[in-house]
Amino acid sequence: MTVADHLQSLQQSIRQACEKSGRAPSDITIIAVTKYVTIDRAKEALAAGVNHLGENRKEEFLEKYQAIEGEAFWHFIGSLQSRKVKDIISYVDMIHSLDRRSLAKEINKRADQHVACFVQVNVSGEASKHGVAPDEVVDFVHSLEDFPNIKVVGLMTMAPHIEDEDKLRGIFRNLKALQIEIQSMHLNHAPCDYLSMGMSNDFQIAIEEGATHIRIGSSLVGD
Ligand SMILES: *Cc1c(COP(=O)(O)O)cnc(C)c1O
C-alpha cells in the first residue's frame, strides 16, 4: 500500500477518535516514524503531506536528514546517549526522550538556543522501558529550570504492546494527569502543552485520552 493510502485510513481513525472525545483533528500532529523504511519511503510520506518525521537512532536520523533536510520537521524519538547529542542537536526540532539529568545537562551545553524536549515517562513501569518514574516526574521537570536551553514542551510515553484496552487507557490517563499537574505549576521553562503518546496499535485510545503527537510507524509507512 502507498503511504497516501495508509494516511487516508489513519486520518479516518483519527477523526473517529476525535469525535468520540470531543477533540479537533487539527490538534493532532502525526509523526511518521521512518526508522524501518528507506529514504524514498520517507519522501513518500512527505509527498503525501506528512511533514513531521521521527527517527530513533542517530545514524539513520542523520542519513535521512541529509537526504531530506529542510522539507521536514524532525523528531528524535529514541533513547539518546549523551555523547551523541552534539551530532544531532543542530538538526532536530524536538527530542522526545529526555529522561535524565545528565542528558539535560549535555543538551543544554551543546545547544545554542532553546531545544523543545518531551520528558519521557515510564508510566507502565516495565523494566525494559526508558523514562522517568511517574512519581519523580514533577520534581524532575521542576529541576530542569537549571538548564536555560531546555524547554519542556510536553511529556512522552511508550505503552506496552498489549491488547488490554483498559490498561492502555489507564497508562495514557496517568500521563495526562501528570501533564495537568506540571501545567498547574506555571513554570516558564515547562509549558508542557503536548502529550506524545500513541503508536500504530494504540493511537486511537491515546487520542481519546489527550495525545497531541502520535508516533506512527508500521501502519503509515510500513508495507
Ligand atoms: C518505533 C516507534 C514508534 C512507532 O511504532 P509503530 O508501532 O510502528 O507505529 C513510535 N514511538 C517510538 C518511540 C518508536 O520507537
Side-chain angles (χ1 to χ4, degrees), residues 18-209:
C18 282
E19 229 160 79
K20 240 173 125 177
S21 51
R23 304 189 61 207
S26 57
D27 290 342
I28 315 296
T29 298
I30 300 168
I31 300 170
V33 176
T34 51
K35 66 186 185 196
Y36 320 103
V37 301
T38 60
I39 288 167
D40 281 346
R41 193 71 167 167
K43 285 184 174 168
E44 203 187 319
L46 284 171
V50 181
N51 61 345
H52 289 258
L53 301 183
E55 281 287 327
N56 70 338
R57 301 171 80 94
K58 181 193 107 174
E59 290 74 16
E60 281 83 354
F61 165 74
L62 289 175
E63 197 187 319
K64 292 225 178 47
Y65 180 85
Q66 275 149 16
I68 295 169
E69 233 175 291
E71 296 168 58
F73 195 87
W74 292 96
H75 298 260
F76 195 86
I77 61 171
S79 67
L80 182 55
Q81 289 171 283
S82 295
R83 66 186 168 84
K84 296 186 176 174
V85 166
K86 63 177 184 309
D87 304 325
I88 65 162
I89 195 71
S90 309
Y91 314 123
V92 288
D93 294 294
M94 285 183 164
I95 294 174
H96 289 241
S97 48
L98 175 53
D99 62 353
R100 58 197 192 278
R101 194 171 169 85
S102 55
L103 180 58
K105 190 175 172 189
E106 181 67 11
I107 293 170
N108 185 64
K109 179 175 150 189
R110 300 290 181 178
D112 49 20
Q113 56 184 3
H114 277 154
V115 182
C117 298
F118 288 84
V119 166
Q120 184 169 353
V121 186
N122 186 0
V123 182
S124 65
E126 287 173 284
S128 61
K129 290 249 183 339
H130 293 270
V132 181
D135 61 353
E136 292 169 5
V137 170
V138 171
D139 284 348
F140 179 68
V141 168
H142 207 158
S143 75
L144 294 175
E145 72 190 351
D146 298 345
F147 304 116
N149 283 335
I150 302 267
K151 194 75 147 183
V152 181
V153 296
L155 302 178
M156 177 274 212
T157 201
M158 277 180 89
H161 279 281
I162 53 172
E163 298 295 323
D164 186 337
E165 197 180 309
D166 291 338
K167 208 161 181 175
L168 289 168
R169 198 175 288 284
I171 287 168
F172 297 139
R173 256 183 212 172
N174 284 344
L175 198 70
K176 176 75 193 179
L178 288 168
Q179 179 199 26
I180 290 170
E181 198 177 335
I182 291 162
Q183 285 179 326
S184 74
M185 298 193 295
H186 300 289
L187 302 168
N188 275 331
H189 73 284
C192 209
D193 292 320
Y194 304 134
L195 286 178
S196 169
M197 58 188 195
M199 313 189 352
S200 290
N201 62 325
D202 57 18
F203 70 88
Q204 282 169 289
I205 305 169
I207 288 171
E208 287 169 31
E209 299 304 329

